[in-house]
Amino acid sequence: QVQLVESGGGLVQPGGSLRLSCAASGSIFSINDMGWYRQTPGSQRDLVAAVTRGGNTNYADFVRGRFTISRDNAKNTMYLQMNSLKPEDTAVYYCYAKIRPSGLLLWGDYWGQGTQVTVSS
């Protein structure tokens, strides 16, 4: 059973930093694209940042220059370093990965359970 588990969320003051982690576990053959999304109550889930297996990155305009996405393919883990946090960054952050489980030919879309990030003084 493949699963994604996020960690690192919490409460931080404006201007502070947090680092989120997303670890993929289970019988995994390969992981392709990975990304972070965020969602607030009553709103759609928005892309924050994405990273390809080769390390190419893409950022939403509202985080570019403040957030940095990275991944460690050997550990099947992705990170999101969030700096200069603003109250409007408050949301539940979800990790996403395109994964091919061991023994299967098809790729699947997998999501983590979400981790709350609250930016408040």
Side-chain angles (χ1 to χ4, degrees):
Q1 182 77 7
V2 173
Q3 63 176 351
L4 300 177
V5 177
E6 300 108 334
S7 61
L11 173 65
V12 63
Q13 292 187 341
S17 298
L18 281 176
R19 189 191 194 209
L20 305 183
S21 298
C22 172
S25 63
S27 298
I28 297 171
F29 178 80
S30 185
I31 302 177
N32 200 344
D33 294 345
M34 301 183 78
W36 290 96
Y37 289 71
R38 72 186 189 187
Q39 187 172 25
T40 55
S43 299
Q44 65 181 15
R45 192 171 294 187
D46 293 323
L47 175 68
V48 175
V51 59
T52 67
R53 182 172 182 81
N56 292 320
T57 58
N58 181 42
Y59 295 93
D61 288 341
F62 52 78
V63 303
R64 187 173 289 114
R66 300 187 297 123
F67 291 10
T68 302
I69 190 171
S70 62
R71 63 190 283 176
D72 184 334
N73 291 332
K75 297 181 179 179
N76 287 340
T77 301
M78 173 180 62
Y79 307 96
L80 185 68
Q81 178 66 43
M82 304 186 294
N83 299 328
S84 303
L85 283 161
K86 306 175 182 180
E88 50 265 42
D89 294 318
T90 296
V92 178
Y93 285 70
Y94 296 90
C95 72
Y96 159 84
K98 179 80 76 174
I99 297 174
R100 180 181 166 186
S102 298
L104 298 180
L105 297 178
L106 296 179
W107 294 81
D109 297 320
Y110 292 83
W111 292 88
Q113 81 286 354
T115 184
Q116 177 70 46
V117 171
T118 302
V119 184
S120 176
S121 55

